[in-house]
Amino acid sequence: MADQLTVLHVDDDDDIREITLLALEAVGGMTVVQASSGAAALVSVENLQPDVLLLDVMMPEMSGVELLSQLRNIPKLQETPCIFMTARVQANEISGLKEHGAVDVIEKPFDPMTLADRIRAIITA
Amino acid sequence: MSRKISLGVRRASSLLSTAASFVVPSAALAAPDLTALSSGTYFSLGLVTSALFCGGMGYVMHLRAVAEARCSDAENQLKAFNQHTIVSVTDRNARITEVNERFLETFGYSRDEVIGQQANAFYPDKEQHQFKLIRQAMNDGIPWTGELQLRAKSGRPIWTQTTVFPVYSDAGEHVSSISTRTDITAVKQMQSEQDMRAALHMLRDQVYVFDAETLHYTYMNKAAMDRSGWGDDYKDKTPADSVAEFDRSRFFERAKPLIKGRLPQLTYVIETDGTSFEINLQHIINVDGRAQFVAFANDISKRLAQEKAKDEFVSTVSHELRSPLTSIKGGLGLVLSGATGELSDKSRSLLEIAHRNSDRLVLIINDILDLQKFSSGQNQLNLAKTDLSVLIKDAAAANEAYCTQYQVGIRLVGTDEPHVVECDADKIFQILNNLMSNAAKFSIPGDDIVVSLATDGPDTLIAVRDYGVGIPAEAQATIFDRFTQVSGQDRKSKGGTGLGLNIVKVIAERHGGKVTLESAEGAGSTFVVRLPSRHSAQGRVQDAEILDAAQ
């Protein structure tokens, strides 16, 4: 894994994408590739080997869970750690997401100043 | 010696508009249970009142004629009358002067206990108003007839059909009143049982009664009959005919705590034909010693669907609020961190206000979600043996940074030794968190907050004490209510949600405990959470296990 992590961030909310970009690149020193939908993300990964998948759960057309399922069909992404981001924070909702293959779930709203540190801590745990 | 009195009314009355005069021997008045006519010249009081009760003066005259002609027939009628009718005589002040044997048998008193008593001594409180009405009727010269509930010496209610007549002297003076009563208690009871059965029959819930051995139905109400489609023809059916999934041995296993008398009732949910029923099962022994099960089945499919829809709604609302808050809080946080450049002091101050309030909104949403989960029963306790000493130390560590922000220290008392209780560690942690953050917020900088752990008999006490401004007495009664804070000023300056203490209360009560407050203005506040003993907590677990097994 490279020192500077490359994160594939997928979220349909433009504002949250912008905040996350700042939090991970400007504050966290990561490389971020973003997509606004599952379909766009599947195109992006054709020429990308991300270190982390950071996926919003509630997206129209293709949810984060469906997207992860499709990403797992791509051989080079079968072992890439996935973190879901969600505003649905009830315990049963979070445990359900972990069962879908996420290493962890980050609740929205998150703290942009510590987001990158959290991601590093999760994938090195 | 005899005296002449008149029975009837001073003023017009349909029944007794022509008052008749009788000569009644004083001896007969003294012995109203007289069973033999003296000579045919006089009538006993019993006969007079019997006659009145049976249909008015015409019938009295008729009886007199019959009595004169056929003494033995009248004697028989009189005997029958005394056996069936309760008679009492009162003076003008409503004191009892005479009663017959039937009165004494019915009410269980001796004659000495009755004579001289006020008539209303036999009236229960709820019938005292009737006594007033009767007295008024007597004063107005009008006979009174109606149903009246009286009370036997044993306290047993006696329902009577009562008629009371005023009696006047020749001078028109009200001298006494005669009451004749028929005991209708048995009829009333039967009527009450019929009413109850009719109510049961029309209940919307399905009611099934079945033999505790053969499981054959002995009763079904209308809702149960409608569902089964069997009508009245259910006597050879059992629950296995009602519910395809019914398992006899599993049923008896489930009902064991009922049969052994360990539980008064069991409540569980079954699903059959795509419908969810909440079953309330009881085990009863009939008066003939036969054991039966009574099952109330309530269709809860709609309720479950509504609960699911409500949960979904709350979850969605939460999501819809959190998403924009992510941008607001995130954007403000990044700007405040300097990631986008330097800020003037004024800009920083305003942005900090906005950031602090976005934090508060997040807390409110979290608290509302927690409370919603408790109210919908989703937030079940996860009971496990927990060392409260360790839990309190963890909570203190988690709140250290927050307390430092308010320049407040944390002192722990009674946490050196392990103190293990059966509780939901996460929920108790939430209690500690809420109470400690409150205590820090309302402390005076430089002070400590004290978190202590102690026992009181079988109970465990967790106390969180601060030495801050305290809570005025008038605010203490509502401090555990939702969205309650001491004042709007506090909320603004301290950033609370007004839900934290309500959550503390709900969690404590879920554990079978409670939270109390001792506070005085200027002297700080102590919140004490009382948790039931390990033993009782275990007892609750056992009960829960029984219920789980039953389900």
Side-chain angles (χ1 to χ4, degrees):
Chain A
M1 198 181 290
D3 285 338
Q4 188 168 4
L5 291 177
T6 299
V7 180
L8 171 67
H9 176 227
V10 188
D11 197 313
D12 62 308
D13 188 312
D14 297 344
D15 296 336
I16 292 177
R17 279 205 312 280
E18 192 171 340
I19 300 286
T20 308
L21 184 67
L22 265 174
L24 297 185
E25 283 198 344
V27 179
M30 294 176 167
T31 301
V32 180
V33 176
Q34 292 189 310
S36 60
S37 68
L42 288 167
V43 172
S44 296
V45 295
E46 285 174 11
N47 300 306
L48 181 73
Q49 177 62 61
D51 301 309
V52 185
L53 306 171
L54 185 61
L55 311 181
D56 179 36
V57 177
M58 293 283 289
M59 292 188 290
E61 293 171 15
M62 190 188 299
S63 73
V65 173
E66 288 167 331
L67 173 60
L68 178 61
S69 167
Q70 295 208 27
L71 291 172
R72 291 295 187 223
N73 289 332
I74 301 169
K76 65 178 179 180
L77 298 177
Q78 279 173 356
E79 301 297 326
T80 309
C82 171
I83 300 169
F84 280 126
M85 294 179 89
T86 183
R88 288 184 178 261
V89 296
Q90 304 213 42
N92 57 339
E93 293 167 329
I94 287 176
S95 62
L97 289 174
K98 286 185 180 170
E99 284 167 15
H100 282 102
V103 288
D104 213 332
V105 178
I106 292 176
E107 295 174 12
K108 291 179 182 176
F110 52 83
D111 177 5
M113 300 311 295
T114 58
L115 181 63
D117 290 342
R118 276 195 68 187
I119 291 173
R120 283 194 188 92
I122 288 168
I123 63 172
T124 53
Chain B
M1 187 178 129
S2 66
R3 61 188 166 125
K4 206 173 178 189
I5 62 169
S6 71
L7 286 128
V9 292
R10 242 180 329 207
R11 293 185 260 288
S13 151
S14 59
L15 180 62
L16 296 169
S17 55
T18 51
S21 293
F22 297 87
V23 178
V24 180
S26 55
L29 279 170
D33 56 322
L34 195 70
T35 51
L37 284 170
S38 53
S39 67
T41 310
Y42 301 123
F43 285 85
S44 78
L45 175 64
L47 184 57
V48 171
T49 51
S50 168
L52 286 171
F53 188 68
C54 292
M57 298 312 297
Y59 188 66
V60 172
M61 301 306 284
H62 169 69
L63 264 189
R64 181 164 64 173
V66 170
E68 283 169 348
R70 295 190 303 182
C71 269
S72 60
D73 282 356
E75 278 175 22
N76 289 336
Q77 287 186 37
L78 185 57
K79 274 183 190 168
F81 170 76
N82 256 327
Q83 278 172 8
H84 290 102
T85 305
I86 302 161
V87 184
S88 59
V89 182
T90 54
D91 64 16
R92 59 185 302 172
N93 295 317
R95 269 197 302 270
I96 295 174
T97 54
E98 308 295 346
V99 293
N100 70 346
E101 283 300 323
R102 181 80 173 112
F103 184 105
L104 300 174
E105 284 164 16
T106 305
F107 290 94
Y109 288 99
S110 68
R111 190 176 298 279
D112 288 347
E113 288 174 313
V114 172
I115 302 300
Q117 291 284 336
Q118 282 292 127
N120 63 332
F122 304 92
Y123 288 52
D125 289 350
K126 65 172 188 163
E127 294 283 78
Q128 290 293 336
H129 70 286
Q130 297 274 48
F131 176 73
K132 281 186 188 167
L133 291 177
I134 294 169
R135 288 276 283 167
Q136 188 60 49
M138 296 304 103
N139 288 339
D140 293 346
I142 301 168
W144 186 92
T145 298
E147 281 186 4
L148 194 59
Q149 191 195 325
L150 300 174
R151 191 174 46 203
K153 188 178 180 181
S154 64
R156 186 172 70 92
I158 308 284
W159 278 98
T160 64
Q161 175 67 41
T162 297
T163 302
V164 189
F165 289 97
V167 181
Y168 295 98
S169 66
D170 275 352
E173 186 190 1
H174 175 208
V175 289
S176 61
S177 304
I178 300 172
S179 303
T180 62
R181 298 185 170 94
T182 304
D183 184 351
I184 57 167
T185 307
V187 177
K188 276 281 181 188
Q189 277 172 347
M190 202 182 297
Q191 199 177 340
S192 154
E193 279 168 20
Q194 279 171 352
D195 288 349
M196 201 182 294
R197 192 167 267 261
L200 197 66
H201 198 66
M202 297 312 294
L203 211 60
R204 284 166 74 181
D205 286 358
Q206 296 163 35
V207 183
Y208 300 87
V209 182
F210 47 100
D211 189 275
E213 284 181 19
T214 66
L215 302 188
H216 280 113
Y217 288 126
T218 55
Y219 173 77
M220 274 189 190
N221 75 342
K222 185 174 182 304
M225 287 196 281
D226 287 349
R227 181 180 176 273
S228 67
W230 300 325
D232 291 337
D233 191 20
Y234 55 75
K235 299 282 182 184
D236 60 337
K237 311 283 189 191
T238 71
D241 298 301
S242 302
V243 181
E245 300 83 359
F246 185 82
D247 181 324
R248 189 185 166 91
S249 58
R250 193 156 171 261
F251 172 80
F252 277 110
E253 187 61 32
R254 168 184 283 168
K256 208 182 273 177
L258 289 180
I259 296 167
K260 293 193 172 177
R262 290 209 308 265
L263 286 176
Q265 60 178 19
L266 272 179
T267 303
Y268 53 95
V269 176
I270 61 165
E271 281 197 32
T272 183
D273 297 337
T275 308
S276 300
F277 289 100
E278 187 179 77
I279 307 289
N280 179 288
L281 185 70
Q282 297 174 38
H283 182 258
I284 57 164
I285 307 290
N286 278 4
V287 280
D288 60 6
R290 201 159 45 112
Q292 298 202 103
F293 285 110
V294 181
F296 291 81
N298 176 18
D299 183 348
I300 55 166
S301 304
K302 264 189 197 166
R303 194 180 85 198
L304 290 180
Q306 282 169 349
E307 278 172 10
K308 195 177 168 193
K310 186 179 154 201
D311 292 345
E312 185 63 27
F313 174 76
V314 171
S315 177
T316 303
V317 168
S318 154
H319 173 261
E320 295 307 320
L321 289 171
R322 278 168 179 275
S323 294
L325 265 173
T326 305
S327 302
I328 296 168
K329 190 169 136 54
L332 291 168
L334 285 167
V335 173
L336 279 167
S337 74
T340 54
E342 288 302 307
L343 293 169
S344 69
D345 288 348
K346 185 65 189 167
S347 299
R348 173 173 294 282
S349 170
L350 289 170
L351 286 171
E352 277 172 351
I353 291 170
H355 191 241
R356 200 164 55 235
N357 279 280
S358 66
D359 281 344
R360 201 177 137 230
L361 267 179
V362 176
L363 292 176
I364 290 176
I365 293 167
N366 290 346
D367 285 353
I368 288 174
L369 265 181
D370 277 344
L371 286 171
Q372 190 275 334
K373 280 188 278 184
F374 275 119
S375 69
S376 69
Q378 248 184 65
N379 222 341
Q380 297 293 339
L381 292 185
N382 185 18
L383 293 176
K385 284 191 172 135
T386 306
D387 185 347
L388 286 181
S389 293
V390 171
L391 196 70
I392 288 172
K393 285 174 194 161
D394 288 349
N399 278 277
E400 201 175 341
Y402 190 80
C403 288
T404 305
Q405 203 180 313
Y406 289 92
Q407 299 168 46
V408 172
I410 303 174
R411 194 148 49 89
L412 303 183
V413 176
T415 56
D416 292 338
E417 299 294 323
H419 186 106
V420 179
V421 297
E422 199 97 39
C423 67
D424 184 322
D426 288 345
K427 300 290 186 296
I428 300 297
F429 191 89
Q430 198 173 355
I431 283 183
L432 288 164
N433 213 29
N434 288 3
L435 291 181
M436 288 168 80
S437 57
N438 263 0
K441 273 190 290 191
F442 294 101
S443 284
I444 295 159
D447 274 349
D448 282 349
I449 61 172
V450 181
V451 185
S452 56
L453 180 60
T455 53
D456 180 22
D459 295 349
T460 296
L461 304 181
I462 302 170
V464 178
R465 168 126 177 71
D466 70 66
Y467 296 90
V469 292
I471 299 165
E474 65 271 17
Q476 291 181 19
T478 56
I479 197 77
F480 293 104
D481 293 351
R482 292 181 185 185
F483 293 111
T484 300
Q485 290 190 322
V486 175
S487 73
Q489 186 58 38
D490 284 330
R491 185 182 293 194
K492 275 182 195 163
S493 61
K494 306 294 184 184
T497 66
L499 291 168
L501 287 176
N502 185 252
I503 291 174
V504 169
K505 179 173 177 271
V506 170
I507 294 174
E509 287 173 355
R510 282 294 168 100
H511 278 82
K514 62 178 181 178
V515 58
T516 53
L517 164 67
E518 283 174 28
S519 183
E521 266 186 286
S525 305
T526 305
F527 287 87
V528 180
V529 177
R530 179 178 288 269
L531 296 175
S533 67
R534 273 174 274 186
H535 174 74
S536 61
Q538 281 167 349
R540 240 190 0 265
V541 173
Q542 281 165 0
D543 283 349
E545 281 169 359
I546 289 168
L547 286 173
D548 283 346
Q551 285 168 26

